[in-house]
Amino acid sequence: MNSAYFLIPGLRLPKEVLKEPSLGADFSSLLQLGEGAEEVIEQELVHETVLDGAAHIAWLWQVIAKRGGMPETAAFEWEADGGPAMGAETWRLHTVHDAIINGQTILRSPKEELSAEERDELHDEVLACVRQFGFQLQQWADRWYLTRNQDWNLVVRPWCAQKYRPFSTDSLSGADEQAFIALDEKLRAILKKSDVNAKRLAQGLETIDGFWPDGGSRRHLLKPSTIRAVMANDSYVWGWAQNAGLLNFRTTALKDNWPEAPEGDLLAVVDGLYESYRQKDWSTWAQKLPDVIKTVTHLADLAHARRATRLVLVASGARDTHTVVIDKNATKSLFARFKKKKTLNLENFLGETGL
């Protein structure tokens, strides 16, 4: 029996928010999609605070790579984006803007990323800085990476889960924590005095206040996957799938149709709610929900036409996932029409505690 998996990061809500009438969310399309769903399956995936907020990445890593532990992203992202082969450990270097909210420094991405000219202006100083810590600075397209021959003894919270939160000791784990902090301070010092930020301030743009390295990993082959096509907006997911045996044209960004693929399991990551979930912007979350469910419903119908008879909805929160399975063929039997369809229990499926 073939399955269509839909991972929806940020579909979960704190239970008190879910019960709040002022949320104004229209759950009708989700209830319709979930008609006949089996009982909610709960799976705790995050057991270390360094992965808080990244349960969806942990789920993907387990399902595609068939591995546990810290998801390995940077080396696979580099490869999937067409970067040349490298044997070194690879880290992705994200740009950081400091936002002061209620007297607390919150890290997030700048509204305007570094331009090619700004990268050129910063390049030599950043390169000299990271070399002090055993790294080389690599660039591919508009992204910066760090590489080193000897692995850094450190795991770092994925940037998508660190965004909209302050930096804390929970963001790191490993013997090289102090080296990370020292590198962060030196890079921040470069940016603070740079002409790049002076020019940005003069133009009314947000400053670049730091960098966040994450995803330290080396490229390697993964166990073969039974999934036949993968759609996701993060290219490291493509890298995992390709190293697990999928041809590159069967791993794409999220779109309105599945890639051409042989009959079998399909996987789509529908991430339209994740940013508002991370920011606890529940009004925006409610506005985006109908379009997210519309996308899932459309792709589920197309998957069913490809003989994927099981629809698997995976709602991720900060530390765990809630999953329901809907057998699309169960409604076709002679007696199914006389049975009362099960209604999706929204509180059990969506409710999250301790966010």
Side-chain angles (χ1 to χ4, degrees), residues 76-104:
F76 292 90
E77 183 174 30
W78 171 275
E79 180 186 19
D81 286 344
M86 293 191 299
E89 184 185 51
T90 305
W91 294 73
R92 169 78 186 278
L93 200 60
H94 302 267
T95 50
V96 175
H97 173 72
D98 293 342
I100 309 301
I101 301 175
N102 298 324
Q104 193 174 38

Side-chain angles (χ1 to χ4, degrees), residues 33-224:
L33 179 66
E35 278 188 346
E38 298 173 9
E39 294 300 314
V40 175
I41 302 167
E42 301 181 13
Q43 184 180 16
E44 185 175 353
L45 296 170
V46 174
H47 303 285
E48 298 181 14
T49 55
V50 73
L51 265 177
D52 274 356
H56 64 295
I57 303 180
W59 185 90
L60 286 164
W61 180 239
Q62 288 190 14
V63 168
I64 299 175
K66 299 180 181 178
R67 295 167 68 98
M70 190 70 182
E72 302 170 13
T73 57
F76 292 90
E77 183 174 30
W78 171 275
E79 180 186 19
D81 286 344
M86 293 191 299
E89 184 185 51
T90 305
W91 294 73
R92 169 78 186 278
L93 200 60
H94 302 267
T95 50
V96 175
H97 173 72
D98 293 342
I100 309 301
I101 301 175
N102 298 324
Q104 193 174 38
T105 302
I106 304 298
L107 309 185
R108 64 168 173 80
S109 298
K111 292 179 181 178
E112 301 85 13
E113 277 289 348
L114 284 170
S115 66
E117 293 77 12
E118 289 173 326
R119 288 184 184 277
D120 288 344
E121 190 169 341
L122 289 169
H123 180 274
D124 290 351
E125 280 195 274
V126 172
L127 173 60
C129 175
V130 300
R131 279 179 171 172
Q132 297 176 38
F133 295 84
F135 289 103
Q136 291 295 325
L137 180 65
Q138 309 284 353
Q139 181 166 331
W140 188 250
D142 60 348
R143 298 178 182 180
W144 268 350
Y145 293 82
L146 300 178
T147 58
R148 59 185 289 143
N149 292 324
Q150 184 176 355
D151 289 359
W152 220 10
N153 189 356
L154 188 68
V155 292
V156 177
R157 181 170 293 159
W159 175 236
C160 67
Q162 178 61 51
K163 282 194 299 185
Y164 311 116
R165 298 292 184 270
F167 169 74
S168 73
T169 54
D170 289 340
S171 303
L172 309 173
S173 177
D176 285 328
E177 288 181 22
Q178 291 306 311
F180 179 99
I181 293 170
L183 173 59
D184 177 65
E185 290 174 349
K186 286 181 177 291
L187 288 171
R188 283 177 169 273
I190 291 171
L191 290 162
K192 188 174 183 179
K193 66 179 180 60
S194 72
D195 289 339
V196 164
N197 275 331
K199 293 173 185 176
R200 281 182 164 244
L201 288 170
Q203 297 170 33
L205 303 180
E206 290 185 340
T207 53
I208 307 296
D209 300 305
F211 293 102
W212 190 265
D214 77 350
S217 50
R218 293 175 182 264
R219 183 264 186 193
H220 53 90
L221 293 178
L222 303 173
K223 294 179 180 178

Side-chain angles (χ1 to χ4, degrees), residues 20 27 31 49-50 68 71 78 124 233 242 255 267 274 280 282 295 351:
E20 180 56 54
F27 293 107
L31 288 169
T49 55
V50 73
W78 171 275
D124 290 351
N233 291 325
Q242 290 165 18
K255 56 183 183 178
L267 168 61
Y274 185 67
K280 300 184 182 180
W282 307 125
T295 297

